[in-house]
Amino acid sequence: MNTSTRSHLQDLAIFGNAPAFAEKVHVGRPNFGNRERLLSRINDMLDRNWLTNDGPYVREFEKRLAEFLGVRHCVAMCNATISLEIAIRALGLTGEVIVPSFTFVATAHSLQWQEITPVFCDIDPKTHNLDPLQVEKMITPRTSGIIGVHTWGRACDIGALEEIARRRKLELMFDAAHAFGCSYKGKLIGGFGRCEVFSFHATKFFNTFEGGAVLTNEGELAEKMRLMRNFGFSGYDNVIYIGTNGKMTEVCAAMGLTSLESVEHFVEVNRRNHLIYGRELEGIPGISLMAYDAGERANYQYLILEINELEAGLTRDEFVTVLAAENVLARRYFFPGCHRMEPYRSYFPHSALMLPETERLCRRVMALPTGTGVDQEAITRICQIIATAVSNAPAVKARLAESSSRGTAA
Ligand SMILES: Cc1ncc(COP(=O)(O)O)c(C=O)c1O
């Protein structure tokens, strides 16, 4: 790291100074558990000569995960996208399904992939999750279900969504990709709706390299998903269902078992980082750090800032550029919103009209680096860059405009 401070305008890299960080600092660098435990598990796996197809690690992982989350059944898979596709199919969803646009595009793609129309619904600007009042407005005779997303690991308004689903006779499931170890009304996410889908991608709170799982309390549904995950095979040479290949490998399950042993440590580090960011950013005009509900369990995996341009004097995108020049790769999650991505943009060219809060949030939100790869000093430096940019906003804006008119990166 470059040790010079960033407290004056001319210290910033956009004015030609060396970047504050010699190496790029990414959002979503992997958290991993004890290396020796992982390697010893991989050695055992090689000794056993059993690499995939419902092996002993996958079974142990499913058992441990179900116990940890307090849910009856866990079906581990190769990633969350396939898990979503399988869960959607196993629930028999058809026609239209209501989802937020403010989510990773996999939520929408997992429907469209099987020719089910994702109907994008607006969010509550306070929670960044589906707004139940808007959900109700999006229901048509073709609607078969609702997929809530627990964005940033903060639970949807599950109670309100359950009530709508019951009254309107719709299926309800959740994309819980962000929400491992998070709770709703004191109960860990995993057992709500008919099923919940987790992602164990390398960027997630807890990872299996790539991976995912569907959790459900319904035995029959779990069995159906197990068949679908393995081409529909029910024993040797006996295919009784349409299926795909959604299997988790043994090496991924070994990583998962190892990660699971360090979950408390990951939370502790993320929580500490969140507290430091909160302290360092306090009082900077126009910058608000998304809070986690102190009464619930959270994994603190997402460090989310909302930028109020009028107060900060700079747009979110200008902050992203200033930080990128310092080698801090802040992310514009979820930009520009699924409804502005293909094929949805072409299919529903006017959907933005129904999504004012999504549109607004997509312009304001920025994720900063956190996790076990980020230390206190790095956070202080990142926050100092932000503070210096805000207190010199007009000069920063002018400099960025000048660089962009010259066609150079600031
Ligand atoms: C909300 C959400 N849903 C689904 C996914 C897809 O997960 P995976 O990469 O495991 O397929 C992700 C992230 O990648 C996500 O953030």
Side-chain angles (χ1 to χ4, degrees):
M1 188 192 300
N2 179 328
T3 51
S4 70
T5 62
R6 302 279 134 177
S7 48
H8 298 101
L9 178 65
Q10 299 301 328
D11 298 336
L12 296 177
I14 56 166
F15 286 95
N17 202 0
F21 296 87
E23 308 272 326
K24 295 195 187 311
V25 188
H26 294 265
V27 170
R29 272 288 135 111
N31 292 324
F32 46 85
N34 184 288
R35 188 182 290 239
E36 278 69 42
R37 300 269 299 155
L38 173 64
L39 293 177
S40 130
R41 282 190 166 111
I42 292 175
N43 264 327
D44 289 348
M45 176 193 80
L46 294 172
D47 290 344
R48 263 199 301 265
N49 202 15
W50 192 343
L51 306 185
T52 188
N53 286 0
D54 212 14
Y57 280 151
V58 166
R59 287 184 178 206
E60 186 184 347
F61 181 59
E62 289 181 332
K63 184 169 173 295
R64 294 259 191 99
L65 219 57
E67 280 165 10
F68 182 91
L69 296 170
V71 182
R72 274 196 207 115
H73 308 280
C74 170
V75 187
M77 304 214 197
C78 55
N79 60 50
T81 306
I82 294 283
S83 308
L84 282 164
E85 284 170 16
I86 287 179
I88 286 163
R89 198 167 186 120
L91 286 181
L93 300 186
T94 55
E96 296 176 359
V97 171
I98 296 172
V99 288
S101 173
F102 192 71
T103 178
F104 184 64
V105 74
T107 321
H109 278 354
S110 57
L111 290 161
Q112 191 65 52
W113 189 255
Q114 23 202 354
E115 299 190 1
I116 300 166
T117 304
V119 172
F120 296 121
C121 178
D122 214 2
I123 45 170
D124 177 338
K126 288 194 291 298
T127 64
H128 301 185
N129 286 326
L130 275 181
D131 177 348
L133 288 176
Q134 300 302 321
V135 169
E136 191 97 37
K137 289 185 195 160
M138 307 308 280
I139 299 172
T140 75
R142 296 190 69 226
T143 309
S144 62
I146 304 167
I147 303 181
V149 181
H150 305 303
T151 311
W152 319 132
R154 299 193 306 178
C156 291
D157 187 346
I158 295 175
L161 294 177
E162 278 173 346
E163 192 280 322
I164 294 171
R166 210 170 19 247
R167 185 162 40 78
R168 305 295 296 263
K169 299 193 170 29
L170 300 173
E171 301 293 355
L172 176 65
M173 60 172 275
F174 293 97
D175 177 339
H178 295 185
F180 190 84
C182 305
S183 68
Y184 172 75
K185 297 196 172 167
K187 199 170 153 208
L188 280 180
I189 284 170
F192 295 102
R194 294 214 44 206
C195 61
E196 303 209 61
V197 173
F198 290 95
S199 169
F200 308 130
H201 181 257
T203 55
K204 294 296 185 285
F205 166 68
F206 130 72
N207 84 84
T208 60
F209 303 119
E210 289 264 8
V214 190
L215 276 288
T216 179
N217 282 311
E218 299 179 30
E220 220 173 287
L221 183 62
E223 213 33 56
K224 204 166 169 179
M225 292 190 290
R226 282 187 200 288
L227 286 172
M228 287 182 165
R229 168 183 77 172
N230 188 27
F231 313 99
F233 272 105
S234 166
Y236 279 118
D237 304 330
N238 188 25
V239 172
I240 61 164
Y241 220 88
I242 183 164
T244 182
N245 184 355
K247 298 188 300 293
M248 177 178 269
T249 62
E250 283 292 276
V251 75
C252 289
M255 180 70 161
L257 286 165
T258 313
S259 299
L260 204 54
E261 290 161 356
S262 294
V263 155
E264 293 308 320
H265 171 63
F266 302 154
V267 176
E268 214 176 282
V269 172
N270 281 347
R271 203 169 107 82
R272 177 208 67 190
N273 289 354
H274 191 269
L275 284 171
I276 301 169
Y277 269 112
R279 202 176 61 218
E280 299 281 338
L281 293 169
E282 201 177 346
I284 303 180
I287 306 288
S288 18
L289 172 63
M290 187 200 75
Y292 289 91
D293 182 344
E296 297 287 358
R297 287 176 68 176
N299 59 32
Y300 298 87
Q301 177 72 359
Y302 296 92
L303 206 298
I304 301 298
L305 300 190
E306 261 188 71
I307 313 295
N308 179 333
E309 184 189 348
L310 287 179
E311 292 175 17
L314 296 171
T315 63
R316 183 273 316 271
D317 288 357
E318 286 167 334
F319 280 106
V320 169
T321 307
V322 168
L323 288 164
E326 309 283 357
N327 274 339
V328 179
L329 305 187
R331 294 290 307 270
R332 304 185 293 177
Y333 285 146
F334 292 105
F335 183 79
C338 295
H339 66 291
R340 288 190 177 275
M341 294 176 170
E342 291 295 356
Y344 313 109
R345 198 166 91 166
S346 300
Y347 288 170
F348 321 113
H350 305 298
S351 54
L353 295 172
M354 298 296 288
L355 303 166
E357 297 299 346
T358 303
E359 288 270 296
R360 203 173 134 270
L361 206 61
C362 286
R363 286 194 299 270
R364 289 164 62 102
V365 162
M366 173 168 87
L368 292 178
T370 183
T372 48
V374 180
D375 63 13
Q376 176 155 358
E377 202 190 341
I379 297 173
T380 304
R381 185 66 50 89
I382 292 168
C383 295
Q384 199 179 44
I385 295 164
I386 294 172
T388 301
V390 171
S391 47
N392 298 280
V396 168
K397 213 177 220 343
R399 175 73 182 181
L400 294 177
E402 187 190 314
S403 313
S404 102
S405 71
R406 272 191 279 129
T408 55

